[in-house]
């Protein structure tokens, strides 16, 4: 909880009959300085109070003005449909800068007396298939959310729901038995497996025996047949090795690697339970849940040949995880094309009386597309993450060589910049929107990009190095008189607030935007006031601002998984 927001919530709830907690969640930070430091919009009450938002804002403001104001707040004003709150600059500076100075990594780090458990399922690529750009989005969004929830005091459990079970393994086993060999798999595991898979689909069109064979192979696998199981294990291990290198590169870890196969032992009892509860029925030999009344298509839980399905394994997974973790929230970070699947999943849970269904959220996202420049798609119309990374690194290196030809470790740094560019681009819009990757835009050192954030962080580091004196707090916080100083302090003070917004909407975008505003305000400050050549007293005070900016950027970048190089 943010002290200033708490004060505002308390004040506002004394003039309006709504709960402090509810007010707290309505507080916004206004876009312009002359709109104050925080605002509350009155549009939402216009109907119920039968007044225009403008009049409501005026009423609230005039009532608030009559109250004895705490020292932190200097002015309250109505503007349009908003009530705006103005802070005492000096106290704000003191509070923010002291907290960063005392806890450079964590600031006013939030802790919960009994932390709430949040289960976050993300990444979840498929065995024997390439790690696609869609999986990159899930991995990045999920990892950002995990770090941010943990920073905000939640107990986070990270699960990778690997796609390691299903009829596709019957196809793969069949394809391998027909056309594969160990050598090709050792040389290039995922690509070879994927090529086999694509070939299966090509040849299946003219050879129906493949379909039957694959179905049998999956059924063997589900029944525990040794030879099928051995191949499956091998494919899985090969894929895991490649996946591990991707996760290391992205700096991502999981608490549990529980793929779909993890739940298969739990399926028979799940099916019995659903049948007993009268949720499922048999139709043409298959077990289904009829969701017509819910305006959804039928969900098939088990096929006639007794093989299980994606949704069946998801039902088992949800129930298992709830038993295991008794979570406060569970997030599924998965593309929006699976929305119907999650609606069906949550609906069946609710029909079956699992009241935790409403703690489950599908954190959906749109697609990444590649602007004018087409990425090589090798086969099967899939963009491979490795290709994207390689391309970004190549471009980043050429930009760095041009900007800073004498830079040491240019290759390593270009890797950081490339990763920063991609990861930031991914959260540069609200997640549900499609993101377009245009290389020149995302790698630019100016504009709203990862490299821009990294570059500004490098600038703070180099100032701190040049200054080469211990940082200290000023005796008098009224020393910050310049408009750019005040603006920067005000923005720095909103760090935790931006994280609260991330948590409220599961939207890392807010942290990205916040860091961009810190960077913009810092660069304006840097360009308009003297720093290193300022008189002693001002020098120390301004270096404290540089230090605070550096800390906020470092922690912010770390939460986004974006490397923060010291030089660039
Ligand atoms: N493996 C799936 C895919 O790549 C995503 C899994 C999403 N998670 C889930 N619980 N269904 O499409």
């Amino acid at each position: 909880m943010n002290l200033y927001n708490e004060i505002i919530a308390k004040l506002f709830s004394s003039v309006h009959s709504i709960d402090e907690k509810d007010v707290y969640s309505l507080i916004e930070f206004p876009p312009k300085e002359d709109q104050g430091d925080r605002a509350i919009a009155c549009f939402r009450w216009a109907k119920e109070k039968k007044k225009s938002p403008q009049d409501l804002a005026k009423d609230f403001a005039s009532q608030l003005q009559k109250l004895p104001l705490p020292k932190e707040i200097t002015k309250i004003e109505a503007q349009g449909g908003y009530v705006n709150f103005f802070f005492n600059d000096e106290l704000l500076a003191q509070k923010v800068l002291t907290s960063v100075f005392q806890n450079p990594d964590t600031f006013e780090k939030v802790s919960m007396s009994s932390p709430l458990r949040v289960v976050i399922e993300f990444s979840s690529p498929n065995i024997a298939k390439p790690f696609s750009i869609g999986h990159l989005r899930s991995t990045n969004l999920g990892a950002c959310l995990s770090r941010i929830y943990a920073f905000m005091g939640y107990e986070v459990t990270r699960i990778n729901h690997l796609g390691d079970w299903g009829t596709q393994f019957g196809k793969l086993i069949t394809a391998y038995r027909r056309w594969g060999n160990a050598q090709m798999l050792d040389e290039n595991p995922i690509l070879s497996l994927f090529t086999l898979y694509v070939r299966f689909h090509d040849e299946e069109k003219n050879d129906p025996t493949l379909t039957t064979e694959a179905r049998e192979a999956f059924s063997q696998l589900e029944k525990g047949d040794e030879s099928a199981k051995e191949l499956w294990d091998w494919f899985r291990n090969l894929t895991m090795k490649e996946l591990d290198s991707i996760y290391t590169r992205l700096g991502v870890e999981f608490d549990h690697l529980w793929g779909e196969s993890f739940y298969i032992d739990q399926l028979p009892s799940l099916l019995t339970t659903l049948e007993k509860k009268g949720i499922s029925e048999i139709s043409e030999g298959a077990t289904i849940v009829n969701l017509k009344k819910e305006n959804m298509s039928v969900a098939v839980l088990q096929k006639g040949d007794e093989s299980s399905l994606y949704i069946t394994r998801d039902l088992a997974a949800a129930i298992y995880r709830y038993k295991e973790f008794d979570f406060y929230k569970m997030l599924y970070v998965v593309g929006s094309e699976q929305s119907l699947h999650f609606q069906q999943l949550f609906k069946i849970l609710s029909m079956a009386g699992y009241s935790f269904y409403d703690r489950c959220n599908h954190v959906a996202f749109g697609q990444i597309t590649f602007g004018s420049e087409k990425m090589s798609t090798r086969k099967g119309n899939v963009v491979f993450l490795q290709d994207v990374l390689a391309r970004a690194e190549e471009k980043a290196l050429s930009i760095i060589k041009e900007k800073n030809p004498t830079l040491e470790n240019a290759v390593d740094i270009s890797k950081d910049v490339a990763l920063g560019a991609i990861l930031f681009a991914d959260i540069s819009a609200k997640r549900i929107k499609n993101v377009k990757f245009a290389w020149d835009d995302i790698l630019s050192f100016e504009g709203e990009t990862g490299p821009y954030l990294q570059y500004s962080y490098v600038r703070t580091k180099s100032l701190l190095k040049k200054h080469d004196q211990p940082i200290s707090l000023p005796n008098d916080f009224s020393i910050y008189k310049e408009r750019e100083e005040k603006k920067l302090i005000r923005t720095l003070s909103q760090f935790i607030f931006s994280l609260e917004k991330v948590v409220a909407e599961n939207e890392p975008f807010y942290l990205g935007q916040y860091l961009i505003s810190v960077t913009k305000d810092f660069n304006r400050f840097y360009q308009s006031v003297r720093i290193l050549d300022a008189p002693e007293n001002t020098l120390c005070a301004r270096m404290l601002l540089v230090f605070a900016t550096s800390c906020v950027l470092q922690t912010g970048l770390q939460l986004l998984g974006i490397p923060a190089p010291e030089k660039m």
Side-chain angles (χ1 to χ4, degrees), residues 131-189:
F131 192 95
S132 72
I133 279 293
H135 294 119
L136 172 68
R137 285 211 86 175
S138 170
T139 309
N140 186 37
L141 290 166
C144 287
L145 290 171
S146 312
R147 295 185 210 101
I148 294 169
Y149 270 96
F151 188 88
M152 295 302 279
Y154 292 83
E155 189 94 52
V156 176
T157 301
R158 298 158 301 179
I159 298 181
N160 190 347
H161 189 72
L162 283 177
D164 63 358
W165 205 252
T167 45
Q168 69 270 32
F169 291 95
K171 297 177 187 171
L172 209 56
I173 289 169
T174 305
Y176 180 80
R177 282 174 179 159
R178 287 238 190 153
W179 313 299
N181 61 63
Q183 196 196 341
M184 67 189 259
L185 255 64
D186 286 335
E187 276 164 16
N188 201 339

Side-chain angles (χ1 to χ4, degrees), residues 303-373:
K303 289 191 196 160
D305 63 4
E306 297 198 345
S307 57
S308 65
L309 284 105
Y310 183 52
I311 194 164
T312 332
R313 297 185 287 272
D314 255 326
L315 282 163
I319 296 164
Y320 179 82
R321 293 173 192 170
Y322 188 69
K323 260 195 215 136
E324 199 71 11
F325 303 118
D326 187 13
F327 50 74
Y328 159 73
K329 258 195 221 180
M330 173 154 69
L331 311 181
Y332 293 88
V333 187
V334 184
S336 54
E337 69 283 355
Q338 296 198 28
S339 287
L340 174 64
H341 167 76
F342 286 103
Q343 283 164 20
Q344 290 181 319
L345 174 65
F346 303 157
K347 184 50 81 184
I348 298 174
L349 288 172
S350 120
M351 288 161 70
Y354 294 105
S355 58
F356 69 81
Y357 78 92
D358 61 355
R359 302 181 180 202
C360 301
N361 293 283
H362 175 202
V363 177
F365 54 83
Q367 282 180 337
I368 291 182
T369 53
F370 291 85
S372 45
E373 196 174 337

Side-chain angles (χ1 to χ4, degrees), residues 197-235:
Y197 189 71
V198 172
R199 179 163 174 190
F200 180 93
H201 281 277
D202 282 347
E203 303 213 3
E204 193 187 17
K205 286 177 210 138
N206 305 316
D207 182 358
T209 61
L210 276 171
T211 317
T212 342
E213 222 174 293
R215 199 178 296 136
E216 271 161 22
F218 182 56
S219 163
Q220 284 172 356
L221 191 60
E222 287 221 301
K223 290 183 181 119
D225 172 85
E226 279 293 325
S227 111
K229 177 88 185 354
E230 207 174 287
L231 282 177
W232 174 83
D233 262 333
W234 184 35
F235 298 161

